[in-house]
Amino acid sequence: MAMDLSKFETLTPSLFTTFTIPNPISSTAAPLRIAVLDSPAPPPSHPPQIAAMIVPSRRERDWNFSTESGQLQLLYNSPGISRLVLVGNVPESADDSTVIYNRCSENDCVISEEDLIPLLVALSPKASFVNGYVDVPFLSYEDDLIASVVLEKCVGPFVGEMLVEDVEIEIKTDAEVNSGEGFKKREFRRRLRFRRMPNFVQTEIRIVPGREVGQEEHLGVCNFEFHVDLEALVHPYLGPMAASLKLISDCIEEKMRVGVRPRALCVGVGGGALLGFLKMQLDFIVVGIEVDEEVLRVSKDYFGMVEDEHLQLCVRDGMQELKRYGCTDEHSFGVHDAGGGVCCNGLGCKPKFDVIMVDLDSEDPMHGLMAPPVPFVQRSVLKDVKLALQKTGILVVNVIPPDDCYYKSLTNDFREIFADLYEIDVGNEENFVLIASASPVEPVSNNNNSYIVKKLKHPSLSQYAERIKKI
């Protein structure tokens, strides 16, 4: 039955359609999967722009390319595009939980761009034609992935489908970045991704193989035994979040001098990389709050999270729990564990935290990638956060602003509630880290050689500690 192309003559906000066609290169070649997505935004007044992307061979089942939410993120990452067309091989029928990927050679292409022109013209809305002609640029997809293997695919009651995967990536050293040379260094990572935001890696940690890896060996070709490495923060914005502690390093040092561990509350656990670093590398007592119990199970099974007297993981709604921590009752509860018990701070009253770190993203992919979600930045929530902090405490928030207006509104709200406001530009053109203090921050001496400052001199943190600026 012939495809009815009339549905593509006009833009339909949020239209998502997939279909298969015979491969135009050869009648014996495998068929192609075509996915068409229109932007959720209203059609522009000027001729709308259509663009195409060829799905990298052997990554057809990757959520980045095979799901509506993944394609929507690709569209959001392509400003000015009103319709995106993805072309790739029909995915194999293998179960996702067994998928192994190894990067193909440059010659292993799905189809040439030239062979797709007739199809793309047919899929272009009438409004895109100017003087009878339509221009359809091809967008390229490039990332650092060499190989990957899915360890587990599961479903959480709140976050939905998620997967844990081991990946081999290529990264540039500082010298290679400065010289403009290609990728040189290989590294192994473990990642947690959610289907609702597949292009956004929720957690990433370094993993170390139990034996030396040959130059030509890749994940999926050999069986590797890995152990997790929690000594460094490799996720782009986690290093800056930890580096924010430089602002209160004097206060932390004073506590440690008398044998008192500083306290951190992390709202949003994911795989727990930040929590593990705070506990193991900085000697904090850490409380993690995560709304989805399956996420906590994954953090323990795959990312090295071990609960003990210095790390407690709670299945709670983060914003509701912040309100409870911020209550003014002098004899309220202490830290609740996942089983509903109470871990009191020894005085019978609520604990206060030296730092509260928030890593929450929007749950709705239709609004694009955004952090923190709008409900968190309500003034009532921010006031609860301030009440839950020690007098010298700080709030540290990972921010992915959808636009300048959101970021400006967010910083204005923070200034109204908190004493001082600082910012770290992560440098990836996506994340900012905001640091809000409960009381004015005393300047940190350049000669400060406290325990925390020494730890923050780690290569993965020192550059960010120097980027802290008051706004």
Side-chain angles (χ1 to χ4, degrees):
M1 185 165 139
M3 166 67 65
D4 180 11
L5 296 177
S6 61
K7 64 192 285 187
F8 301 110
E9 292 181 351
T10 58
L11 289 172
T12 305
S14 299
L15 167 74
F16 180 69
T17 303
T18 63
F19 56 91
T20 60
I21 62 170
N23 194 312
I25 295 179
S26 169
S27 59
T28 60
L32 299 177
R33 176 184 183 270
I34 313 298
V36 181
L37 177 68
D38 285 353
S39 170
S45 56
H46 54 79
Q49 179 67 64
I50 178 176
M53 180 181 292
I54 297 177
V55 176
S57 182
R58 305 177 195 174
R59 293 184 68 176
E60 297 83 8
R61 296 188 68 83
D62 191 316
W63 285 344
N64 289 348
F65 310 104
S66 64
T67 66
E68 180 178 1
S69 55
Q71 188 174 353
L72 185 61
Q73 288 181 59
L74 294 173
L75 182 61
Y76 279 130
N77 292 335
S78 308
I81 302 301
S82 295
R83 172 173 291 173
L84 180 62
V85 180
L86 262 67
V87 181
N89 290 323
V90 173
E92 297 178 2
S93 58
D95 179 18
D96 282 337
S97 63
T98 63
V99 170
I100 296 173
Y101 164 75
N102 281 288
R103 181 187 289 171
C104 60
S105 68
E106 293 181 359
N107 295 325
D108 191 3
C109 297
V110 176
I111 190 174
S112 71
E113 295 180 1
E114 183 178 352
D115 290 323
L116 289 173
I117 295 301
L119 171 67
L120 298 175
V121 170
L123 293 176
S124 298
K126 288 183 176 180
S128 294
F129 288 80
V130 179
N131 298 324
Y133 174 77
V134 62
D135 176 39
V136 183
F138 280 83
L139 308 178
S140 62
Y141 184 88
E142 298 179 0
D143 63 7
D144 56 8
L145 189 65
I146 297 174
S148 67
V149 57
V150 174
L151 302 181
E152 182 180 345
K153 180 180 176 183
C154 53
V155 180
F158 288 91
V159 305
E161 288 186 81
M162 54 184 159
L163 64 82
V164 182
E165 58 186 350
D166 283 350
V167 302
E168 180 184 0
I169 63 173
E170 49 189 5
I171 58 177
K172 285 183 178 179
T173 64
D174 291 340
E176 288 161 349
V177 171
N178 295 333
S179 67
E181 294 181 7
F183 291 105
K184 297 293 183 182
K185 183 180 177 183
R186 299 165 60 191
E187 194 165 281
F188 297 101
R189 306 277 178 85
R190 181 162 293 165
R191 290 174 172 174
L192 172 65
R193 290 197 292 148
F194 296 164
R195 182 184 176 107
R196 59 178 170 83
M197 287 285 189
N199 288 357
F200 178 64
V201 178
Q202 298 290 331
T203 294
E204 183 171 75
I205 62 171
R206 184 180 295 153
I207 52 176
V208 181
R211 65 171 177 82
E212 186 175 348
V213 180
Q215 186 62 35
E216 301 302 320
E217 292 182 284
H218 299 308
L219 277 170
V221 177
C222 304
N223 269 330
F224 292 117
E225 293 287 339
F226 288 105
H227 66 266
V228 299
D229 176 11
L230 299 178
E231 293 185 2
L233 295 170
V234 297
H235 216 39
Y237 60 87
L238 294 187
M241 291 184 76
S244 67
L245 293 170
K246 180 180 179 181
L247 288 174
I248 56 171
S249 56
D250 288 340
C251 302
I252 294 174
E253 180 73 5
E254 186 177 339
K255 282 193 169 188
M256 289 185 165
R257 194 178 296 120
V258 296
V260 178
R261 281 183 176 241
R263 299 178 59 87
L265 175 65
C266 294
V267 183
V269 172
L274 181 60
L275 286 75
F277 186 86
L278 291 171
K279 170 196 169 186
M280 298 175 65
Q281 301 302 315
L282 302 183
D283 294 328
F284 271 70
I285 292 176
V286 184
V287 178
I289 298 176
E290 172 62 54
V291 70
D292 198 308
E293 60 185 348
E294 186 68 358
V295 172
L296 290 185
R297 195 272 302 173
V298 166
S299 74
K300 296 174 184 178
D301 288 353
Y302 295 100
F303 292 89
M305 289 295 94
V306 179
E307 286 192 271
D308 56 24
E309 60 181 331
H310 297 138
L311 175 63
Q312 301 163 32
L313 301 176
C314 315
V315 181
R316 294 284 190 277
D317 178 275
M319 282 173 285
Q320 291 183 7
E321 203 69 358
L322 283 171
K323 185 173 183 64
R324 291 157 69 91
Y325 278 121
C327 67
T328 56
D329 181 3
E330 291 296 328
H331 297 284
S332 65
F333 56 86
V335 179
H336 287 252
D337 63 19
V342 177
C343 303
C344 197
N345 64 2
L347 300 176
C349 58
K350 65 182 183 299
K352 295 283 188 177
F353 296 95
D354 297 280
V355 60
I356 294 176
M357 295 192 172
V358 178
D359 183 14
L360 299 172
D361 61 82
S362 172
E363 298 179 0
D364 186 0
M366 295 301 292
H367 292 141
L369 188 56
M370 181 177 71
V374 172
F376 173 80
V377 296
Q378 297 178 55
R379 295 183 185 183
S380 60
V381 176
L382 296 179
K383 289 178 180 178
D384 291 332
V385 172
K386 185 177 180 180
L387 289 172
L389 287 169
Q390 297 275 4
K391 183 178 180 181
T392 57
I394 57 173
L395 165 67
V396 182
V397 184
N398 172 42
V399 180
I400 305 176
D403 50 53
D404 292 341
C405 183
Y406 176 88
Y407 193 64
K408 182 177 180 180
S409 175
L410 181 64
T411 54
N412 286 339
D413 288 342
F414 273 49
R415 287 192 187 95
E416 288 193 17
I417 305 298
F418 294 90
D420 289 336
L421 185 61
Y422 296 80
E423 173 194 82
I424 303 177
D425 185 344
V426 175
N428 61 356
E429 299 183 354
E430 184 174 86
N431 298 79
F432 293 87
V433 170
L434 286 181
I435 312 160
S437 62
S439 57
V441 175
E442 296 294 330
V444 178
S445 171
N446 290 330
N447 297 322
N448 185 317
N449 202 30
S450 67
Y451 172 82
I452 290 294
V453 169
K454 288 180 180 178
K455 289 286 188 177
L456 296 182
K457 289 180 180 179
H458 188 284
S460 65
L461 302 179
S462 60
Q463 58 175 317
Y464 299 116
E466 300 305 317
R467 291 188 197 174
I468 300 174
K469 69 175 183 179
K470 191 171 184 178
I471 59 174

